[in-house]
Amino acid sequence: MKSLKYGAGKNKGVSNHMLTLHQRLLHALNLGIKFSSKDGRKWLCLDIEIQRLAIRSISAFIDCISIETSQHPLVKDSIPHILVALEGILLSRNDTVLGMTVNVIVKLVDVLGDSILKYNVLELVHPLSSLLSIIQSTTAVSCVTALNQILSKLTPWRFKRQQEIWKILKSTNTVDHIVCGLQDFLLGTKSLEYFQEMASLLSTILWRWPSSRYSVWSNGTLLEGLGDTSLKHNSSVKVTILQLYSAIALCGNGTTKLLENGEAPLLMMVQCMGNSHPYSVRIEAFKLVQCLVRSEKSCLALMRLYGKSIVKAILNTMHDWSLCSGKVATNEVALLVEACRLALITRWAGDHHFYFWKFGVHQIILDLLLSNFHKSKQNQHFFFLKELLNTARKGLDANCLLILRPYIWDILGWLAIHFAEDYNPQMHEVKHYLDLLNACACLACVDSIHKGRQVLQNDLLYTSKHEPALRAVLLMVYSPCKYIASQTRHVLSELLIPNEEDLEYLLDALRSTTSKDKFFVSDNHQIVINLMGLACYSCLPICQNIIIKNEGIEVLHSVIRWCCNNQVHIRRSSIASHLYHTSEETICCWTHNDDWEGADILLFFSLWVLSELIPNLSFARNHKEVTSAWVVDVLVLEKFEIQMLMDKLLEICSDTSSPGPKWFATYILSYFGIYGFPSGLGRRIAKALDETELADMKLIPANGEPQNVHTAIIIARCPSLLPPNDLPLNERTDDECAARKCPENFSGNFRRKIRLSSHVDFQALTKLLAFVYSGFTEVGNDLVKNLKLLARRCNVQLLSDMLSKRRPKWGNPFPCYDLTPLLPSGHYFS
């Protein structure tokens, strides 16, 4: 204890009263703490009175600690000794002083706050967690509170400390004891206060340690019991249970359990989203839904159960806000943010889009953008674009609810990209709303491009603010709804074409970046914004010519090469801060919850822009059915550069994991005469097409040589190529069922000869078989028409779409070489 003795100079800044309490603390601690070379300092006194004296002295000293004095050497050197005493007294398990000790620990954590982690809190975690199963309910509440406060201070980057604490919690069976305590409450043997503290502690553990989740989500009785309990108690209990469910849903398997067997939890969650509940309850309900819809599969599963109710709750919340002195009430903002965050389920196609439009999403997000616009302008139609843009600019400049703008742009973009092709805004009386939303987004987009020249490079705040608007406009440009797409291009052309300086700046910035000897991670954010800005220009035919003549193709090729060669990976959440959530750091057992571009966002937008430019180059003419008026007659790439680009695109198709970049790579390759989806497995199986030893079927065209093929491959990849009578088991109305039963009835000891119609072109047949076997095929322009006709007749829709030069549909999974139809039902090819 010598380290606690100070000279007069070291006590400067501390009151005499605190010095007196410190001397009493020293005296009390010296009575129980002993030092040994083996164990260091330990509290070894079992005398109740001495323990009580030490606890009172510690409590009195803690009461004198303030924010100012918490960093004083007198305090900082005393805390480790206090922790030693508290640990020893807890381990003595003396019922007389146990309650006092735990209360002092709660007070200590409250006073020190996050700085408690500077000390060895492991000394308290072990005894506190080991007491959960043996102490009485009144003391247990304080014990759980203390442990919860300590664990909640932990931060994700303190990985080593978290590992050490988890070992302690695991060794003391903490999670099991908490679950037992919660079940005791459900049986009526524990108090409500005990239940809330236990549930809160369990949430804290589940959020930080994925290994703890299985024993909780696999307990169906507990999950249902919690849901029933929440319906019977007040708001504070609902908040606690909703937080616990959210922690369980961090595990993908836990989410599946809740969706499949959690009728009571899901019903309670949906009810708590309603405006009859306090803000605190509704916020936690929205957060729980966000956890449950982390992937497309889980989102669509929940939408099938409660889609209408959830969408209605989202839009009611976004609609029920009011301005007070020009500002939204503080307690409404957090709820609005969670509702808007949940509305991002529009990123996935599904029936929930119908409900968004049914309940007036167009009017609601316009009101959020332009501050209750419908109250004064509801029936106004705009006959001139200038008038439309002026109204949009005036509303945006009011700066209402800026915190929601990134969400609104995302919602607008997702709604646009999932529009039905035949949707007519005029028939549904939403045209003037869509026009104004479109104008707002285009103005924000153009502002983003222009302001990019005025901000510091790699300004993450700028990137986070402006990326959503750029993205929304790009999604609207490529909306399946022809009206939205054409209107967006029209507005962009009015705003962008007069600003060719911005286009030249984007090209110069990208050229400068690609000319560096090295790329730095800090460059990535600005490159993304520049590429998105360039994508906006590239959707306008008049600008495509300018980009190509200013070496835009070469610049994009450089970016693509660098991304592939250096394994550059960046996700959207790292540049759009509104999408980031700390829970992403601790989720487990989730698959396929990435955006379409995945971790290849730089590569994705490079290919996006390139896909707009390549069709206009002279070497692409031979692979286009219709020649664009803007085709450039000058060959801007040398032959070796073209080959390098093709090789890189083929590499992307095989080696990139994200579906978006792979789709755009295949789309661009179609302009080089390569159609399909190259893969390693396809190349291997393609070798069988040239071998006759195992072929068991002969296709005999009317105008060419017979083709030896394999029944299994044809049935798995193109069953419509066979006449109905030649399908196995006469399953002629369901190709998939017929193919699935094929292996059980297949014999390699027979050959079949099938004469094809005279309408089947021999060369088209060979190209179709190449696609069936390898997954892709090379086709000259003179054969495109016949092959497209054959592909349609054989129901090979993917090849037909590619031959028609149809742009990839947003969100489509990338086709894999799948032989699942050859396997028994319930088995999948991998």
Side-chain angles (χ1 to χ4, degrees):
M1 303 299 289
K2 294 181 180 179
S3 61
L4 291 178
K5 296 181 180 179
Y6 299 97
K10 292 187 177 182
N11 293 333
K12 187 176 180 180
V14 178
S15 66
N16 291 332
H17 177 61
M18 189 170 189
L19 288 174
T20 300
L21 294 176
H22 181 253
Q23 290 300 318
R24 293 176 182 173
L25 174 67
L26 285 179
H27 172 70
L29 296 182
N30 278 324
L31 294 175
I33 295 179
K34 306 300 178 185
F35 179 84
S36 69
S37 57
K38 180 180 179 181
D39 300 323
R41 286 185 295 271
K42 292 288 182 181
W43 179 275
L44 301 176
C45 180
L46 299 178
D47 185 275
I48 295 177
E49 293 305 321
I50 294 178
Q51 289 183 357
R52 184 180 283 114
L53 174 64
I55 293 301
R56 288 172 177 167
S57 300
I58 293 172
S59 180
F61 183 71
I62 292 173
D63 287 339
C64 286
I65 299 176
S66 62
I67 296 177
E68 293 76 16
T69 60
S70 62
Q71 300 303 313
H72 193 278
L74 185 75
V75 174
K76 294 172 69 174
D77 288 348
S78 300
I79 298 300
H81 302 280
I82 291 174
L83 294 176
V84 169
L86 293 173
E87 177 195 22
I89 296 172
L90 286 175
L91 290 175
S92 69
R93 296 184 177 179
N94 192 322
D95 292 339
T96 308
V97 295
L98 207 53
M100 292 174 56
T101 306
V102 173
N103 289 334
V104 167
I105 293 174
V106 173
K107 184 190 297 185
L108 178 65
V109 176
D110 279 340
V111 170
L112 295 181
D114 291 340
S115 63
I116 187 70
L117 297 178
K118 296 179 181 178
Y119 307 100
N120 188 14
V121 291
L122 296 178
E123 294 177 339
L124 296 180
V125 172
H126 187 277
L128 284 172
S129 59
S130 63
L131 288 172
L132 292 182
S133 62
I134 62 173
I135 56 180
Q136 300 200 357
S137 183
T138 52
T139 307
V141 171
S142 299
C143 183
V144 171
T145 302
L147 184 58
N148 194 19
Q149 285 186 337
I150 294 172
L151 298 184
S152 62
K153 303 295 182 185
L154 293 174
T155 49
W157 52 87
R158 295 179 180 270
F159 182 70
K160 185 177 180 180
R161 178 70 62 86
Q162 291 226 36
Q163 281 187 314
E164 293 172 344
I165 291 181
W166 173 241
K167 287 180 181 179
I168 294 173
L169 297 177
K170 192 174 180 181
S171 66
T172 56
N173 297 317
T174 301
V175 174
D176 291 339
H177 292 319
I178 295 174
V179 170
C180 289
L182 295 178
Q183 290 178 323
D184 287 342
F185 168 78
L186 296 178
L187 295 173
T189 61
K190 298 292 184 180
S191 68
L192 184 61
E193 183 185 14
Y194 173 90
F195 167 79
Q196 287 187 262
E197 293 297 333
M198 277 289 197
S200 179
L201 174 59
L202 184 56
S203 296
T204 300
I205 294 173
L206 295 178
W207 272 93
R208 283 160 178 76
W209 292 283
S211 302
S212 65
R213 295 167 187 164
Y214 172 76
S215 60
V216 181
W217 67 253
S218 61
N219 192 325
T221 304
L222 176 64
L223 297 184
E224 285 293 313
L226 292 173
D228 293 335
T229 297
S230 65
L231 297 173
K232 303 173 184 176
H233 292 89
N234 59 27
S235 299
S236 63
V237 176
K238 287 182 171 63
V239 168
T240 301
I241 294 176
L242 288 166
Q243 290 173 340
L244 180 53
Y245 281 137
S246 294
I248 293 170
L250 291 173
C251 174
N253 293 327
T255 292
T256 301
K257 184 78 170 180
L258 286 171
L259 292 175
E260 291 178 351
N261 304 306
E263 182 177 352
L266 296 180
L267 178 60
M268 178 270 294
M269 172 190 74
V270 172
Q271 290 180 353
C272 289
M273 297 173 72
N275 54 17
S276 61
H277 292 276
Y279 286 139
S280 59
V281 175
R282 297 172 70 189
I283 287 173
E284 295 304 328
F286 278 108
K287 288 181 177 180
L288 173 55
V289 183
Q290 292 167 27
C291 290
L292 295 177
V293 298
R294 203 180 297 273
S295 73
E296 182 177 12
K297 181 180 178 181
S298 63
C299 174
L300 297 182
L302 184 59
M303 291 301 105
R304 282 192 293 269
L305 296 172
Y306 296 103
K308 180 178 180 180
S309 299
I310 289 174
V311 172
K312 190 172 184 178
I314 292 172
L315 295 180
N316 283 344
T317 302
M318 293 169 65
H319 181 263
D320 294 340
W321 60 278
S322 58
L323 287 173
C324 181
S325 301
K327 296 181 180 180
V328 180
T330 304
N331 57 357
E332 288 185 89
V333 174
L335 181 60
L336 276 171
V337 169
E338 298 305 331
C340 290
R341 187 190 294 271
L342 180 54
L344 298 184
I345 57 174
T346 48
R347 64 192 280 205
W348 291 300
D351 293 340
H352 53 289
H353 278 260
F354 168 78
Y355 294 118
F356 272 99
W357 290 108
K358 179 180 179 180
F359 296 131
V361 64
H362 49 284
Q363 178 179 309
I364 291 170
I365 60 176
L366 187 60
D367 284 347
L368 290 172
L369 272 177
L370 306 185
S371 182
N372 283 322
F373 173 82
H374 78 282
K375 290 184 177 179
S376 57
K377 304 283 186 178
Q378 187 173 11
N379 297 315
Q380 178 173 337
H381 293 259
F382 301 96
F383 297 101
F384 301 101
L385 180 58
K386 184 176 180 180
E387 180 187 5
L388 177 69
L389 292 173
N390 286 339
T391 302
R393 170 63 71 190
K394 182 178 179 181
L396 291 176
D397 289 345
N399 293 328
C400 177
L401 294 170
L402 289 179
I403 192 174
L404 300 183
R405 290 228 177 140
Y407 299 102
I408 294 172
W409 299 138
D410 273 1
I411 295 166
L412 180 59
W414 294 131
L415 289 170
I417 202 66
H418 294 304
F419 252 114
E421 289 188 37
D422 58 351
Y423 187 85
N424 187 341
Q426 290 180 321
M427 290 181 60
H428 294 81
E429 300 182 351
V430 299
K431 177 182 177 296
H432 59 292
Y433 288 104
L434 289 180
D435 286 348
L436 194 49
L437 286 168
N438 190 303
C440 290
C442 288
L443 284 170
C445 166
V446 174
D447 285 349
S448 302
I449 295 172
H450 184 65
K451 290 178 181 177
R453 303 175 57 181
Q454 305 168 7
V455 300
L456 295 174
Q457 292 291 307
N458 311 313
D459 185 337
L460 186 56
L461 181 61
Y462 160 79
T463 306
S464 299
K465 178 181 178 182
H466 295 287
E467 185 271 351
L470 285 162
R471 186 185 185 88
V473 169
L474 289 174
L475 293 179
M476 287 191 290
V477 165
Y478 297 105
S479 171
C481 177
K482 294 179 180 179
Y483 177 80
I484 292 179
S486 62
Q487 177 70 5
T488 307
R489 282 189 170 91
H490 175 54
V491 176
L492 274 183
S493 65
E494 291 293 319
L495 297 173
L496 286 179
I497 291 177
N499 296 315
E500 289 187 16
E501 290 183 1
D502 288 334
L503 173 55
E504 293 172 1
Y505 166 79
L506 292 174
L507 289 169
D508 289 341
L510 288 170
R511 186 180 295 108
S512 173
T513 305
T514 56
S515 65
K516 295 178 182 178
D517 292 334
K518 290 185 178 180
F519 280 69
F520 299 95
V521 174
S522 58
D523 293 328
N524 292 345
H525 296 154
Q526 191 61 42
I527 296 174
V528 171
I529 295 299
N530 290 339
L531 285 171
M532 295 177 76
L534 190 60
C536 291
Y537 276 101
S538 71
C539 72
L540 305 176
I542 194 172
C543 294
Q544 294 169 358
N545 194 8
I546 300 173
I547 296 172
I548 293 172
K549 287 186 175 181
N550 283 275
E551 302 179 338
I553 298 284
E554 295 90 327
V555 171
L556 293 167
H557 189 194
S558 298
V559 176
I560 291 169
R561 282 202 315 271
W562 174 73
C563 287
C564 294
N565 295 340
N566 295 283
Q567 297 294 307
V568 179
H569 297 299
I570 178 171
R571 298 180 185 278
R572 189 186 175 215
S573 57
S574 66
I575 60 174
S577 58
H578 68 290
L579 300 178
Y580 173 77
H581 196 277
T582 54
S583 65
E584 295 294 329
E585 299 173 4
T586 60
I587 61 174
C588 64
C589 306
W590 282 96
T591 56
H592 308 303
N593 59 321
D594 260 335
D595 287 320
W596 203 41
E597 62 270 37
D600 301 297
I601 193 167
L602 282 176
L603 182 61
F604 176 78
F605 283 110
S606 301
L607 292 167
W608 183 316
V609 180
L610 189 62
S611 72
E612 287 294 327
L613 304 180
I614 286 291
N616 300 303
L617 298 183
S618 55
F619 65 75
R621 287 188 190 185
N622 292 333
H623 303 286
K624 293 188 69 176
E625 293 188 19
V626 180
T627 303
S628 169
W630 295 99
V631 170
V632 180
D633 291 323
V634 179
L635 189 63
V636 298
L637 292 178
E638 298 292 341
K639 288 185 178 180
F640 78 92
E641 292 179 307
I642 294 174
Q643 188 60 52
M644 287 176 59
L645 178 58
M646 291 174 62
D647 291 343
K648 192 58 65 177
L649 294 171
L650 289 168
E651 177 186 321
I652 291 170
C653 292
S654 300
D655 299 339
T656 306
S657 60
S658 307
K662 294 169 79 170
W663 265 112
F664 274 107
T666 58
Y667 176 70
I668 296 169
L669 281 170
S670 69
Y671 286 93
F672 294 92
I674 300 176
Y675 299 87
F677 313 95
S679 67
L681 178 60
R683 292 188 182 95
R684 288 166 55 194
I685 292 182
K687 296 176 182 178
L689 186 58
D690 300 323
E691 299 174 358
T692 59
E693 183 179 354
L694 298 177
D696 61 349
M697 181 186 297
K698 192 180 293 289
L699 300 179
I700 305 175
N703 61 349
E705 297 179 0
Q707 300 292 303
N708 295 313
V709 296
H710 305 78
T711 304
I713 301 298
I714 299 300
I715 289 177
R717 303 275 296 161
C718 185
S720 296
L721 186 61
L722 303 178
N725 291 337
D726 288 280
L727 288 176
L729 299 181
N730 293 323
E731 297 282 354
R732 299 159 191 147
T733 60
D734 191 334
D735 292 334
E736 184 179 359
C737 292
R740 288 189 182 282
K741 295 182 180 179
C742 176
E744 301 169 12
N745 299 272
F746 175 77
S747 171
N749 298 321
F750 67 91
R751 289 179 178 272
R752 284 182 283 181
K753 296 180 181 180
I754 298 177
R755 296 189 181 277
L756 301 177
S757 167
S758 59
H759 297 291
V760 176
D761 180 79
F762 171 69
Q763 289 182 314
L765 174 64
T766 59
K767 294 300 182 181
L768 177 64
L769 290 175
F771 179 84
V772 168
Y773 272 74
S774 68
F776 71 100
T777 185
E778 296 187 42
V779 184
N781 189 53
D782 58 337
L783 197 56
V784 167
K785 183 177 180 180
N786 288 337
L787 180 56
K788 188 194 303 183
L789 180 63
L790 182 59
R792 286 176 180 171
R793 288 180 174 177
C794 293
N795 294 323
V796 187
Q797 190 62 44
L798 286 172
L799 179 58
S800 176
D801 289 344
M802 298 199 73
L803 290 165
S804 301
K805 299 293 192 296
R806 292 183 181 174
R807 289 185 63 86
K809 183 178 180 181
W810 186 279
N812 271 1
F814 191 76
C816 61
Y817 198 99
D818 187 18
L819 297 178
T820 297
L822 292 175
L823 302 178
S825 181
H827 293 75
Y828 296 92
F829 182 80
S830 174

